[in-house]
Amino acid sequence: MPSLEDELFPSTPGKFKIDRPSQSICRQFHRCFASTGTMFLWALFLIALTASYLSFQSFIDSGSRYFTASWGGIQWEKQVRTSAQIHRSGGLSVLVTGAAGFVGSHVSIALKKRGDGVVGIDNFNNYYDPSLKRARKSLMNSRNIFIVEGDINDARMLAKLFEIVSFTHVMHLAAQAGVRYAMENPGSYVHSNIAGLVTLLEACKTADPQPSIVWASSSSVYGLNDKVPFSESDLTDRPASLYAATKKAGEEITHTYNHIYGLSITGLRFFTVYGPWGRPDMAYFSFTRNILQGKPITVYRGKNQVDLARDFTYIDDIVKGCIGSLDTSGKSTGSGGKKNGPAPYRIYNLGNTSPVSVPTMVNILEKYLKVKARKNMVDMPGNGDVAFTHANISLARRELGYKPTTDLQTGLKKFVRWYLSYYGYNHGKPVVN
């Protein structure tokens, strides 16, 4: 088989000659030099070929990502702009993260209803049944609210949104929720509640103009605090769960961005939000499902057999607090990532300030479902949950005009009516009078 050198430089056909020693040495040196130069040229050729292949492959991959991405393109940009249009004098243009979530969908609809521009983001993860999120999305689509399917950790997507629309406000509600799930998948909390928050803040700090930010913290930050009711001035340095710790970290991170970059930031500590279109992982929701299916429910008790109690807050009251926070947020003062002056930094409790025990909540559900619950009373495990929550809302009342009006009896009645309608229990016959 001919060598590579023979194929590139074939010998001339002719007679076989015997070389003199001096000629042989010269010829061998020449061949060696020629071989080395040839190999060098081949090396350059192979390097260039490899580089070209990698560049082409990168182009193909980029094109593939472009054509398979759930965002981008002329039509997509048109939908974003249309959804962000303001239809009232002095209205807001709001980017709502976690828009297909429980609170996010309600806030988005309320903003759109009053004439504000709204664009949503949601990644539709499977922490709970994504079909419920899809149904919320359909509800918002019917009200001309466009939801971008994407992750808040996607900096390119966020940059594109801020390039298309000069959002006046961001309502940041995207988060990995739930206390118990943190023991199974801690990484998801860091990804969403910390990394995702930083990615969003980075996009906001470089936006021109910078938007004002309202975001969802949690009553969980009060952790092992035993002073009641919980006040914004209380220490929050003893979180009882990883979820609480990530929300506490979020408060520290947002303070830093406010201090360095002049972002106007308002944190809202939600207290046990419930109501129609709620989260299936919440106790009132899962209790309703199990009671209707004839399955037992697990009711936890605290130390010394004390009933757990929660400051249940109806979704409509939470929405009023969110919108009040947006309306009073004040402006960010930065430009191009540089702070030009102090900007507002605020934290508020949004609760109902009327804690109700979990057994009492179950009794209310039994009343409206007209089914008796099979209860298993169990001591609360060490999973990061707390025995009670109770909000002091005087600051939100004074500065936001926040005034909850829905008690648990009224709120659960509305929830049960929605639940039976949505899931089609009792063959469509009315259960709630």
Side-chain angles (χ1 to χ4, degrees), residues 252-274:
E252 305 300 332
I253 290 168
T254 53
H255 183 275
T256 301
Y257 274 78
N258 165 265
H259 174 68
I260 297 177
Y261 301 111
L263 288 173
S264 169
I265 296 180
T266 302
L268 303 176
R269 293 172 178 171
F270 294 158
F271 282 73
T272 316
V273 189
Y274 74 100

Side-chain angles (χ1 to χ4, degrees), residues 152 155 158-159 162 194-208 210-211 213 253 256-257 260-261 263 265 336-337:
I152 56 171
L158 292 176
F162 280 106
I194 296 179
L197 174 61
V198 171
T199 303
L200 179 65
L201 292 173
E202 282 290 305
C204 291
K205 88 173 190 190
T206 55
D208 188 15
Q210 289 181 337
I213 302 166
I253 290 168
T256 301
Y257 274 78
I260 297 177
Y261 301 111
L263 288 173
I265 296 180

Side-chain angles (χ1 to χ4, degrees), residues 225-246:
N225 179 35
D226 54 8
K227 173 182 169 293
V228 291
F230 299 157
S231 173
E232 293 91 344
S233 60
D234 293 342
L235 292 176
T236 54
D237 56 356
R238 294 193 298 162
S241 66
L242 178 62
Y243 169 69
T246 60

